[in-house]
Amino acid sequence: MRNQNELTRGEEEIMHILWRLGKGTIGDVIELMEEPKPKYTTVATFFKILENKGFIAREARGRGFLYTPTIEREEYAKSIGIGGIAMAGV
């Protein structure tokens, strides 16, 4: 059973992109996702879940939002019991 601090595969994919970017919009993340790219609304739902779990924060930027990770990749890896080497290439 997955605990609240563990991400699903889709959530983790988004977090890896945000960790790489440092911060970005939903559109920025979709742009870096593999084909076939998911719909905007699907990714927006993942962002809302990640925000509710406390993994990302948002700030208003024009008509949209800019999202920033609130947890470092290494901190997440430790919290789920994965060493830094295993997460380094992800």
mmCIF file of all heavy atoms in Angstrom, residues 9-49:
data_model
loop_
_atom_site.group_PDB
_atom_site.id
_atom_site.type_symbol
_atom_site.label_atom_id
_atom_site.label_comp_id
_atom_site.label_asym_id
_atom_site.label_seq_id
_atom_site.Cartn_x
_atom_site.Cartn_y
_atom_site.Cartn_z
ATOM 1 N N ARG A 9 3.313 6.839 -10.249
ATOM 2 C CA ARG A 9 4.198 6.946 -11.409
ATOM 3 C C ARG A 9 3.995 8.270 -12.142
ATOM 4 O O ARG A 9 4.956 8.950 -12.513
ATOM 5 C CB ARG A 9 3.976 5.761 -12.347
ATOM 6 C CG ARG A 9 5.073 5.640 -13.392
ATOM 7 C CD ARG A 9 4.842 4.471 -14.299
ATOM 8 N NE ARG A 9 3.899 4.942 -15.319
ATOM 9 C CZ ARG A 9 2.961 4.209 -15.890
ATOM 10 N NH1 ARG A 9 2.802 2.960 -15.557
ATOM 11 N NH2 ARG A 9 2.173 4.712 -16.805
ATOM 12 N N GLY A 10 2.732 8.669 -12.354
ATOM 13 C CA GLY A 10 2.444 9.927 -13.041
ATOM 14 C C GLY A 10 2.907 11.147 -12.258
ATOM 15 O O GLY A 10 3.466 12.092 -12.832
ATOM 16 N N GLU A 11 2.681 11.140 -10.951
ATOM 17 C CA GLU A 11 3.132 12.239 -10.097
ATOM 18 C C GLU A 11 4.650 12.337 -10.118
ATOM 19 O O GLU A 11 5.216 13.434 -10.199
ATOM 20 C CB GLU A 11 2.642 12.034 -8.663
ATOM 21 C CG GLU A 11 1.149 12.130 -8.499
ATOM 22 C CD GLU A 11 0.645 11.567 -7.177
ATOM 23 O OE1 GLU A 11 1.438 11.003 -6.383
ATOM 24 O OE2 GLU A 11 -0.568 11.685 -6.931
ATOM 25 N N GLU A 12 5.301 11.179 -10.055
ATOM 26 C CA GLU A 12 6.759 11.158 -10.051
ATOM 27 C C GLU A 12 7.326 11.687 -11.369
ATOM 28 O O GLU A 12 8.313 12.415 -11.379
ATOM 29 C CB GLU A 12 7.250 9.732 -9.777
ATOM 30 C CG GLU A 12 8.659 9.685 -9.254
ATOM 31 C CD GLU A 12 8.999 8.326 -8.706
ATOM 32 O OE1 GLU A 12 9.427 7.469 -9.506
ATOM 33 O OE2 GLU A 12 8.839 8.111 -7.489
ATOM 34 N N GLU A 13 6.690 11.347 -12.482
ATOM 35 C CA GLU A 13 7.144 11.850 -13.783
ATOM 36 C C GLU A 13 7.112 13.378 -13.804
ATOM 37 O O GLU A 13 8.063 14.029 -14.257
ATOM 38 C CB GLU A 13 6.267 11.287 -14.904
ATOM 39 C CG GLU A 13 6.676 11.763 -16.279
ATOM 40 C CD GLU A 13 5.788 11.234 -17.388
ATOM 41 O OE1 GLU A 13 4.827 10.491 -17.116
ATOM 42 O OE2 GLU A 13 6.064 11.587 -18.550
ATOM 43 N N ILE A 14 6.043 13.951 -13.300
ATOM 44 C CA ILE A 14 5.918 15.412 -13.252
ATOM 45 C C ILE A 14 6.960 16.010 -12.313
ATOM 46 O O ILE A 14 7.603 17.016 -12.641
ATOM 47 C CB ILE A 14 4.490 15.815 -12.839
ATOM 48 C CG1 ILE A 14 3.541 15.492 -14.000
ATOM 49 C CG2 ILE A 14 4.415 17.288 -12.441
ATOM 50 C CD1 ILE A 14 2.080 15.565 -13.659
ATOM 51 N N MET A 15 7.169 15.392 -11.162
ATOM 52 C CA MET A 15 8.155 15.904 -10.208
ATOM 53 C C MET A 15 9.560 15.874 -10.798
ATOM 54 O O MET A 15 10.331 16.821 -10.611
ATOM 55 C CB MET A 15 8.105 15.121 -8.894
ATOM 56 C CG MET A 15 6.919 15.448 -8.027
ATOM 57 S SD MET A 15 6.755 17.207 -7.580
ATOM 58 C CE MET A 15 8.272 17.500 -6.686
ATOM 59 N N HIS A 16 9.912 14.808 -11.512
ATOM 60 C CA HIS A 16 11.249 14.740 -12.102
ATOM 61 C C HIS A 16 11.471 15.891 -13.087
ATOM 62 O O HIS A 16 12.554 16.470 -13.127
ATOM 63 C CB HIS A 16 11.477 13.387 -12.780
ATOM 64 C CG HIS A 16 11.695 12.282 -11.806
ATOM 65 N ND1 HIS A 16 12.740 12.268 -10.912
ATOM 66 C CD2 HIS A 16 10.995 11.156 -11.573
ATOM 67 C CE1 HIS A 16 12.676 11.177 -10.170
ATOM 68 N NE2 HIS A 16 11.608 10.488 -10.547
ATOM 69 N N ILE A 17 10.440 16.231 -13.841
ATOM 70 C CA ILE A 17 10.551 17.350 -14.782
ATOM 71 C C ILE A 17 10.677 18.666 -14.011
ATOM 72 O O ILE A 17 11.533 19.501 -14.325
ATOM 73 C CB ILE A 17 9.366 17.373 -15.764
ATOM 74 C CG1 ILE A 17 9.418 16.135 -16.673
ATOM 75 C CG2 ILE A 17 9.384 18.661 -16.595
ATOM 76 C CD1 ILE A 17 8.181 15.925 -17.527
ATOM 77 N N LEU A 18 9.863 18.848 -12.977
ATOM 78 C CA LEU A 18 9.952 20.082 -12.182
ATOM 79 C C LEU A 18 11.291 20.193 -11.467
ATOM 80 O O LEU A 18 11.860 21.283 -11.370
ATOM 81 C CB LEU A 18 8.812 20.156 -11.166
ATOM 82 C CG LEU A 18 7.509 20.761 -11.651
ATOM 83 C CD1 LEU A 18 6.454 20.718 -10.547
ATOM 84 C CD2 LEU A 18 7.694 22.180 -12.145
ATOM 85 N N TRP A 19 11.814 19.069 -10.956
ATOM 86 C CA TRP A 19 13.137 19.109 -10.329
ATOM 87 C C TRP A 19 14.188 19.541 -11.337
ATOM 88 O O TRP A 19 15.078 20.308 -11.022
ATOM 89 C CB TRP A 19 13.491 17.747 -9.729
ATOM 90 C CG TRP A 19 12.814 17.475 -8.418
ATOM 91 C CD1 TRP A 19 12.600 18.343 -7.388
ATOM 92 C CD2 TRP A 19 12.278 16.221 -7.978
ATOM 93 N NE1 TRP A 19 11.960 17.707 -6.341
ATOM 94 C CE2 TRP A 19 11.757 16.403 -6.671
ATOM 95 C CE3 TRP A 19 12.188 14.947 -8.551
ATOM 96 C CZ2 TRP A 19 11.168 15.384 -5.945
ATOM 97 C CZ3 TRP A 19 11.596 13.926 -7.817
ATOM 98 C CH2 TRP A 19 11.089 14.148 -6.522
ATOM 99 N N ARG A 20 14.081 19.053 -12.566
ATOM 100 C CA ARG A 20 15.032 19.420 -13.613
ATOM 101 C C ARG A 20 14.897 20.908 -13.963
ATOM 102 O O ARG A 20 15.898 21.598 -14.144
ATOM 103 C CB ARG A 20 14.787 18.550 -14.847
ATOM 104 C CG ARG A 20 15.945 18.507 -15.783
ATOM 105 C CD ARG A 20 15.843 17.437 -16.852
ATOM 106 N NE ARG A 20 14.685 16.578 -16.773
ATOM 107 C CZ ARG A 20 13.922 16.236 -17.800
ATOM 108 N NH1 ARG A 20 14.188 16.676 -19.009
ATOM 109 N NH2 ARG A 20 12.887 15.433 -17.649
ATOM 110 N N LEU A 21 13.659 21.403 -14.073
ATOM 111 C CA LEU A 21 13.422 22.803 -14.433
ATOM 112 C C LEU A 21 13.702 23.765 -13.277
ATOM 113 O O LEU A 21 14.059 24.907 -13.497
ATOM 114 C CB LEU A 21 11.968 22.986 -14.874
ATOM 115 C CG LEU A 21 11.537 22.363 -16.186
ATOM 116 C CD1 LEU A 21 10.027 22.497 -16.362
ATOM 117 C CD2 LEU A 21 12.271 23.018 -17.350
ATOM 118 N N GLY A 22 13.460 23.324 -12.065
ATOM 119 C CA GLY A 22 13.547 24.213 -10.900
ATOM 120 C C GLY A 22 12.206 24.848 -10.595
ATOM 121 O O GLY A 22 11.786 24.906 -9.455
ATOM 122 N N LYS A 23 11.517 25.308 -11.625
ATOM 123 C CA LYS A 23 10.157 25.814 -11.522
ATOM 124 C C LYS A 23 9.604 25.899 -12.933
ATOM 125 O O LYS A 23 10.355 25.966 -13.910
ATOM 126 C CB LYS A 23 10.082 27.160 -10.814
ATOM 127 C CG LYS A 23 10.910 28.253 -11.424
ATOM 128 C CD LYS A 23 10.815 29.495 -10.578
ATOM 129 C CE LYS A 23 11.977 30.426 -10.863
ATOM 130 N NZ LYS A 23 11.966 31.578 -9.974
ATOM 131 N N GLY A 24 8.289 25.868 -13.046
ATOM 132 C CA GLY A 24 7.705 25.939 -14.374
ATOM 133 C C GLY A 24 6.190 25.909 -14.333
ATOM 134 O O GLY A 24 5.577 25.703 -13.289
ATOM 135 N N THR A 25 5.608 26.125 -15.492
ATOM 136 C CA THR A 25 4.158 26.086 -15.644
ATOM 137 C C THR A 25 3.731 24.680 -16.063
ATOM 138 O O THR A 25 4.575 23.845 -16.422
ATOM 139 C CB THR A 25 3.710 27.083 -16.733
ATOM 140 O OG1 THR A 25 4.253 26.651 -17.984
ATOM 141 C CG2 THR A 25 4.160 28.501 -16.423
ATOM 142 N N ILE A 26 2.442 24.440 -16.067
ATOM 143 C CA ILE A 26 1.928 23.160 -16.545
ATOM 144 C C ILE A 26 2.347 22.957 -17.996
ATOM 145 O O ILE A 26 2.789 21.877 -18.383
ATOM 146 C CB ILE A 26 0.398 23.086 -16.372
ATOM 147 C CG1 ILE A 26 0.041 23.070 -14.883
ATOM 148 C CG2 ILE A 26 -0.169 21.854 -17.082
ATOM 149 C CD1 ILE A 26 -1.442 23.178 -14.576
ATOM 150 N N GLY A 27 2.266 24.012 -18.795
ATOM 151 C CA GLY A 27 2.680 23.939 -20.192
ATOM 152 C C GLY A 27 4.148 23.582 -20.359
ATOM 153 O O GLY A 27 4.514 22.808 -21.254
ATOM 154 N N ASP A 28 5.016 24.142 -19.494
ATOM 155 C CA ASP A 28 6.446 23.808 -19.540
ATOM 156 C C ASP A 28 6.668 22.322 -19.321
ATOM 157 O O ASP A 28 7.492 21.686 -19.987
ATOM 158 C CB ASP A 28 7.224 24.573 -18.457
ATOM 159 C CG ASP A 28 7.236 26.079 -18.661
ATOM 160 O OD1 ASP A 28 7.093 26.534 -19.808
ATOM 161 O OD2 ASP A 28 7.392 26.789 -17.647
ATOM 162 N N VAL A 29 5.938 21.766 -18.364
ATOM 163 C CA VAL A 29 6.081 20.345 -18.032
ATOM 164 C C VAL A 29 5.566 19.479 -19.184
ATOM 165 O O VAL A 29 6.235 18.529 -19.599
ATOM 166 C CB VAL A 29 5.376 20.012 -16.699
ATOM 167 C CG1 VAL A 29 5.318 18.508 -16.466
ATOM 168 C CG2 VAL A 29 6.090 20.710 -15.543
ATOM 169 N N ILE A 30 4.414 19.807 -19.714
ATOM 170 C CA ILE A 30 3.853 19.035 -20.826
ATOM 171 C C ILE A 30 4.816 19.025 -22.003
ATOM 172 O O ILE A 30 5.013 17.996 -22.652
ATOM 173 C CB ILE A 30 2.471 19.582 -21.243
ATOM 174 C CG1 ILE A 30 1.454 19.319 -20.132
ATOM 175 C CG2 ILE A 30 2.013 18.965 -22.561
ATOM 176 C CD1 ILE A 30 0.111 19.987 -20.341
ATOM 177 N N GLU A 31 5.434 20.161 -22.271
ATOM 178 C CA GLU A 31 6.379 20.275 -23.383
ATOM 179 C C GLU A 31 7.520 19.269 -23.268
ATOM 180 O O GLU A 31 8.010 18.758 -24.274
ATOM 181 C CB GLU A 31 6.932 21.703 -23.414
ATOM 182 C CG GLU A 31 7.741 22.027 -24.626
ATOM 183 C CD GLU A 31 8.156 23.496 -24.633
ATOM 184 O OE1 GLU A 31 7.269 24.361 -24.505
ATOM 185 O OE2 GLU A 31 9.354 23.751 -24.740
ATOM 186 N N LEU A 32 7.941 18.955 -22.040
ATOM 187 C CA LEU A 32 9.055 18.039 -21.823
ATOM 188 C C LEU A 32 8.626 16.580 -21.645
ATOM 189 O O LEU A 32 9.489 15.710 -21.492
ATOM 190 C CB LEU A 32 9.878 18.497 -20.618
ATOM 191 C CG LEU A 32 10.586 19.841 -20.793
ATOM 192 C CD1 LEU A 32 11.276 20.258 -19.508
ATOM 193 C CD2 LEU A 32 11.560 19.797 -21.950
ATOM 194 N N MET A 33 7.341 16.317 -21.648
ATOM 195 C CA MET A 33 6.852 14.945 -21.499
ATOM 196 C C MET A 33 6.959 14.211 -22.824
ATOM 197 O O MET A 33 6.937 14.815 -23.897
ATOM 198 C CB MET A 33 5.413 14.940 -20.975
ATOM 199 C CG MET A 33 5.304 15.509 -19.571
ATOM 200 S SD MET A 33 3.610 15.564 -18.962
ATOM 201 C CE MET A 33 3.577 14.010 -18.091
ATOM 202 N N GLU A 34 7.085 12.889 -22.729
ATOM 203 C CA GLU A 34 7.201 12.064 -23.925
ATOM 204 C C GLU A 34 5.867 11.970 -24.651
ATOM 205 O O GLU A 34 4.807 12.144 -24.071
ATOM 206 C CB GLU A 34 7.676 10.663 -23.532
ATOM 207 C CG GLU A 34 9.103 10.647 -23.015
ATOM 208 C CD GLU A 34 9.590 9.252 -22.711
ATOM 209 O OE1 GLU A 34 8.928 8.267 -23.093
ATOM 210 O OE2 GLU A 34 10.645 9.148 -22.084
ATOM 211 N N GLU A 35 5.954 11.661 -25.932
ATOM 212 C CA GLU A 35 4.761 11.424 -26.758
ATOM 213 C C GLU A 35 4.170 10.067 -26.397
ATOM 214 O O GLU A 35 4.928 9.161 -26.069
ATOM 215 C CB GLU A 35 5.128 11.451 -28.241
ATOM 216 C CG GLU A 35 5.600 12.808 -28.743
ATOM 217 C CD GLU A 35 4.501 13.841 -28.833
ATOM 218 O OE1 GLU A 35 3.310 13.471 -28.833
ATOM 219 O OE2 GLU A 35 4.823 15.027 -28.890
ATOM 220 N N PRO A 36 2.909 9.879 -26.458
ATOM 221 C CA PRO A 36 1.889 10.899 -26.693
ATOM 222 C C PRO A 36 1.721 11.769 -25.444
ATOM 223 O O PRO A 36 1.656 11.251 -24.327
ATOM 224 C CB PRO A 36 0.632 10.084 -26.981
ATOM 225 C CG PRO A 36 0.829 8.803 -26.247
ATOM 226 C CD PRO A 36 2.314 8.555 -26.256
ATOM 227 N N LYS A 37 1.711 13.054 -25.647
ATOM 228 C CA LYS A 37 1.601 13.985 -24.526
ATOM 229 C C LYS A 37 0.181 13.931 -23.943
ATOM 230 O O LYS A 37 -0.789 13.861 -24.675
ATOM 231 C CB LYS A 37 1.932 15.394 -24.987
ATOM 232 C CG LYS A 37 3.377 15.485 -25.491
ATOM 233 C CD LYS A 37 3.834 16.887 -25.570
ATOM 234 C CE LYS A 37 5.207 17.003 -26.209
ATOM 235 N NZ LYS A 37 6.288 16.493 -25.422
ATOM 236 N N PRO A 38 0.099 13.952 -22.613
ATOM 237 C CA PRO A 38 -1.228 13.935 -21.974
ATOM 238 C C PRO A 38 -1.945 15.269 -22.177
ATOM 239 O O PRO A 38 -1.330 16.287 -22.487
ATOM 240 C CB PRO A 38 -0.901 13.707 -20.499
ATOM 241 C CG PRO A 38 0.490 14.206 -20.329
ATOM 242 C CD PRO A 38 1.178 13.992 -21.641
ATOM 243 N N LYS A 39 -3.245 15.248 -21.973
ATOM 244 C CA LYS A 39 -4.043 16.474 -22.078
ATOM 245 C C LYS A 39 -3.696 17.419 -20.928
ATOM 246 O O LYS A 39 -3.327 16.988 -19.835
ATOM 247 C CB LYS A 39 -5.524 16.147 -22.034
ATOM 248 C CG LYS A 39 -5.984 15.377 -23.241
ATOM 249 C CD LYS A 39 -7.476 15.170 -23.219
ATOM 250 C CE LYS A 39 -7.847 14.393 -24.467
ATOM 251 N NZ LYS A 39 -9.194 14.606 -24.880
ATOM 252 N N TYR A 40 -3.853 18.695 -21.183
ATOM 253 C CA TYR A 40 -3.570 19.728 -20.191
ATOM 254 C C TYR A 40 -4.339 19.468 -18.904
ATOM 255 O O TYR A 40 -3.783 19.566 -17.808
ATOM 256 C CB TYR A 40 -3.920 21.107 -20.772
ATOM 257 C CG TYR A 40 -3.587 22.249 -19.849
ATOM 258 C CD1 TYR A 40 -2.389 22.930 -19.966
ATOM 259 C CD2 TYR A 40 -4.484 22.647 -18.847
ATOM 260 C CE1 TYR A 40 -2.074 23.988 -19.114
ATOM 261 C CE2 TYR A 40 -4.177 23.694 -17.995
ATOM 262 C CZ TYR A 40 -2.973 24.355 -18.133
ATOM 263 O OH TYR A 40 -2.667 25.385 -17.276
ATOM 264 N N THR A 41 -5.624 19.122 -19.021
ATOM 265 C CA THR A 41 -6.456 18.930 -17.831
ATOM 266 C C THR A 41 -5.972 17.748 -16.986
ATOM 267 O O THR A 41 -6.068 17.786 -15.759
ATOM 268 C CB THR A 41 -7.936 18.735 -18.206
ATOM 269 O OG1 THR A 41 -8.038 17.678 -19.166
ATOM 270 C CG2 THR A 41 -8.521 20.020 -18.786
ATOM 271 N N THR A 42 -5.451 16.727 -17.647
ATOM 272 C CA THR A 42 -4.915 15.564 -16.922
ATOM 273 C C THR A 42 -3.711 15.983 -16.096
ATOM 274 O O THR A 42 -3.612 15.656 -14.905
ATOM 275 C CB THR A 42 -4.518 14.447 -17.908
ATOM 276 O OG1 THR A 42 -5.676 14.072 -18.658
ATOM 277 C CG2 THR A 42 -3.944 13.240 -17.186
ATOM 278 N N VAL A 43 -2.801 16.726 -16.713
ATOM 279 C CA VAL A 43 -1.595 17.175 -16.010
ATOM 280 C C VAL A 43 -1.971 18.167 -14.904
ATOM 281 O O VAL A 43 -1.419 18.123 -13.806
ATOM 282 C CB VAL A 43 -0.575 17.778 -17.001
ATOM 283 C CG1 VAL A 43 0.653 18.308 -16.272
ATOM 284 C CG2 VAL A 43 -0.170 16.727 -18.039
ATOM 285 N N ALA A 44 -2.946 19.029 -15.171
ATOM 286 C CA ALA A 44 -3.401 19.987 -14.152
ATOM 287 C C ALA A 44 -3.936 19.256 -12.924
ATOM 288 O O ALA A 44 -3.723 19.699 -11.782
ATOM 289 C CB ALA A 44 -4.464 20.906 -14.737
ATOM 290 N N THR A 45 -4.594 18.127 -13.128
ATOM 291 C CA THR A 45 -5.098 17.328 -12.004
ATOM 292 C C THR A 45 -3.937 16.796 -11.172
ATOM 293 O O THR A 45 -3.975 16.845 -9.937
ATOM 294 C CB THR A 45 -5.973 16.166 -12.517
ATOM 295 O OG1 THR A 45 -7.101 16.710 -13.208
ATOM 296 C CG2 THR A 45 -6.452 15.290 -11.371
ATOM 297 N N PHE A 46 -2.888 16.309 -11.839
ATOM 298 C CA PHE A 46 -1.700 15.841 -11.115
ATOM 299 C C PHE A 46 -1.065 16.977 -10.320
ATOM 300 O O PHE A 46 -0.634 16.783 -9.178
ATOM 301 C CB PHE A 46 -0.662 15.248 -12.078
ATOM 302 C CG PHE A 46 -0.935 13.819 -12.460
ATOM 303 C CD1 PHE A 46 -1.261 13.495 -13.767
ATOM 304 C CD2 PHE A 46 -0.853 12.801 -11.529
ATOM 305 C CE1 PHE A 46 -1.507 12.178 -14.133
ATOM 306 C CE2 PHE A 46 -1.090 11.485 -11.885
ATOM 307 C CZ PHE A 46 -1.423 11.173 -13.186
ATOM 308 N N PHE A 47 -1.016 18.171 -10.905
ATOM 309 C CA PHE A 47 -0.438 19.320 -10.201
ATOM 310 C C PHE A 47 -1.238 19.627 -8.940
ATOM 311 O O PHE A 47 -0.673 19.932 -7.895
ATOM 312 C CB PHE A 47 -0.396 20.547 -11.123
ATOM 313 C CG PHE A 47 0.876 20.672 -11.915
ATOM 314 C CD1 PHE A 47 1.125 19.813 -12.971
ATOM 315 C CD2 PHE A 47 1.808 21.645 -11.624
ATOM 316 C CE1 PHE A 47 2.285 19.913 -13.724
ATOM 317 C CE2 PHE A 47 2.981 21.765 -12.360
ATOM 318 C CZ PHE A 47 3.219 20.896 -13.413
ATOM 319 N N LYS A 48 -2.561 19.560 -9.031
ATOM 320 C CA LYS A 48 -3.411 19.834 -7.864
ATOM 321 C C LYS A 48 -3.160 18.793 -6.772
ATOM 322 O O LYS A 48 -3.075 19.133 -5.588
ATOM 323 C CB LYS A 48 -4.896 19.827 -8.296
ATOM 324 C CG LYS A 48 -5.809 20.314 -7.221
ATOM 325 C CD LYS A 48 -5.525 21.774 -6.924
ATOM 326 C CE LYS A 48 -6.472 22.318 -5.903
ATOM 327 N NZ LYS A 48 -6.008 23.581 -5.353
ATOM 328 N N ILE A 49 -3.034 17.532 -7.166
ATOM 329 C CA ILE A 49 -2.748 16.468 -6.200
ATOM 330 C C ILE A 49 -1.393 16.707 -5.537
ATOM 331 O O ILE A 49 -1.257 16.601 -4.308
ATOM 332 C CB ILE A 49 -2.794 15.086 -6.887
ATOM 333 C CG1 ILE A 49 -4.224 14.756 -7.315
ATOM 334 C CG2 ILE A 49 -2.219 13.998 -5.978
ATOM 335 C CD1 ILE A 49 -4.337 13.588 -8.278
#
